[in-house]
Every structure is written in structure tokens, then in C-alpha cells.
């Protein structure tokens, strides 16, 4: 009997490659989102520092022009944060879509794995049957020779 080989091995390998690609894409999206979330945290700190500096200088006395500069800086931070939050929302949608692709790819690979297991079980059963037939033939031949 010839050596066992999964008949859909090439397709399974291709589907596994596609699954890995989809997982890598998902990982990239998640890393990008994490980077943006860190940027948001940095902007929050920056906003708080500007606010503290503004209040300190306000107590000491400052001009309207200086106050406007602080407000301008705070608005810049708010706008940048707003832009990043929009990007995060878009990334969330992309991540959700990508997760669905990964799940679908996993299901395809899982189906092929189950099919491979079933084919292997059938091969083992056929191999065992062949071995039983060989043993039965050997025993039968040996028994026949002993009678003659």
C-alpha cells in the first residue's frame, strides 16, 4: 500500500497561508489602534500640562494675547485628538471586518483538517484490512502446506 498523502494538501496549505495573512493583517490593525490610543493618552497629558501652565500664569498675571496663545494650543490638541478618535473609529470597523475574515479562514482550514483526519482514519482502516488479509492468506497457505 502506498504512503498516505492528504489529497487536498495543496489547498489546505494555501488556505493556511491565507489564514496567516489575514491574522497578520488583523495584528497590524490592532497595533495601529494601540499606537493611536497611546497618542491619545499623550495628548491628554499634553492638554493637562498646557492647562496647568495656563492657570499658573493666569494667577501670576498674563495678557489676553498670552491667554489666546494657550487657548490656541489647547484647541490644537483637541482637534488632533478628535482626528485621532475618528481614525480609531474607522480602525474599529476595519478590525471587526478583519476578525470576520479570520474566523472564516479558520473555519475553512478547520474543515480541511477534519477532512484530513477522516481520510487518514479511512487509510488506516484500509491498511489494517490489507494487513489482516495478508496474515489470513499467510495462515491459510501455511495451514494448507501442513496438510499436504
Amino acid at each position: 500500500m502506498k504512503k498516505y498523502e492528504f489529497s487536498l494538501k495543496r489547498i489546505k496549505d494555501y488556505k493556511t497561508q491565507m489564514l496567516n495573512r489575514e491574522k497578520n493583517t488583523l495584528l497590524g490593525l490592532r497595533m495601529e489602534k494601540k499606537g493611536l490610543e497611546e497618542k491619545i493618552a499623550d495628548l491628554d497629558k499634553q492638554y493637562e500640562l498646557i492647562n496647568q501652565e495656563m492657570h499658573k500664569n493666569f494667577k501670576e498675571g498674563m495678557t489676553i494675547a498670552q491667554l489666546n496663545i494657550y487657548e490656541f494650543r489647547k484647541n490644537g490638541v483637541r482637534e488632533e485628538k478628535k482626528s485621532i478618535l475618528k481614525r480609531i473609529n474607522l480602525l474599529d470597523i476595519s478590525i471587526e471586518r478583519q476578525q470576520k475574515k479570520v474566523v472564516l479562514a479558520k473555519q475553512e482550514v478547520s474543515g480541511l483538517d477534519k477532512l484530513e483526519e477522516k481520510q487518514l482514519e479511512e487509510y488506516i482502516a484500509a491498511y489494517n484490512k490489507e494487513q489482516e488479509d495478508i496474515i489470513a492468506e499467510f495462515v491459510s497457505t501455511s495451514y494448507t502446506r501442513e496438510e499436504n
Side-chain angles (χ1 to χ4, degrees), residues 98-115:
Q98 193 62 32
Q99 284 175 323
K100 289 177 183 176
K101 287 181 182 181
V102 168
V103 167
L104 183 62
K106 277 184 181 179
Q107 289 172 345
E108 290 176 356
V109 170
S110 177
L112 289 170
D113 284 340
K114 289 177 184 176
L115 181 60

Side-chain angles (χ1 to χ4, degrees), residues 25-41:
T25 301
L26 180 59
L27 178 64
L29 290 171
R30 286 180 174 160
M31 287 174 56
E32 184 179 351
K33 180 182 175 185
K34 185 177 183 203
L36 290 175
E37 288 170 342
E38 290 171 358
K39 179 79 171 157
I40 292 282

Side-chain angles (χ1 to χ4, degrees), residues 92-133:
D92 284 337
I93 293 168
S94 296
I95 287 171
E96 187 177 326
R97 282 189 200 136
Q98 193 62 32
Q99 284 175 323
K100 289 177 183 176
K101 287 181 182 181
V102 168
V103 167
L104 183 62
K106 277 184 181 179
Q107 289 172 345
E108 290 176 356
V109 170
S110 177
L112 289 170
D113 284 340
K114 289 177 184 176
L115 181 60
E116 182 178 17
E117 286 175 23
K118 185 177 179 183
Q119 280 187 4
L120 181 59
E121 288 173 8
E122 290 172 359
Y123 173 82
I124 290 170
Y127 178 79
N128 289 340
K129 175 72 173 134
E130 183 180 303
Q131 293 301 313
E132 287 174 14
D133 291 346

Side-chain angles (χ1 to χ4, degrees), residues 6-68:
F6 182 47
S7 60
L8 299 173
K9 183 177 180 352
R10 292 168 103 189
I11 293 172
K12 182 184 171 198
D13 290 346
Y14 172 75
K15 295 287 185 178
T16 302
Q17 264 184 346
M18 293 306 294
L19 172 60
N20 290 336
R21 255 189 229 135
E22 298 296 347
K23 283 181 176 180
N24 287 338
T25 301
L26 180 59
L27 178 64
L29 290 171
R30 286 180 174 160
M31 287 174 56
E32 184 179 351
K33 180 182 175 185
K34 185 177 183 203
L36 290 175
E37 288 170 342
E38 290 171 358
K39 179 79 171 157
I40 292 282
D42 290 344
L43 287 172
D44 287 340
K45 289 176 188 173
Q46 184 180 353
Y47 186 87
E48 188 57 37
L49 288 174
I50 293 170
N51 218 19
Q52 288 173 0
E53 184 181 329
M54 183 180 83
H55 285 295
K56 178 184 166 214
N57 289 337
F58 187 74
K59 289 178 183 178
E60 295 172 357
M62 68 173 151
T63 65
I64 292 179
Q66 290 172 321
L67 181 64
N68 286 336

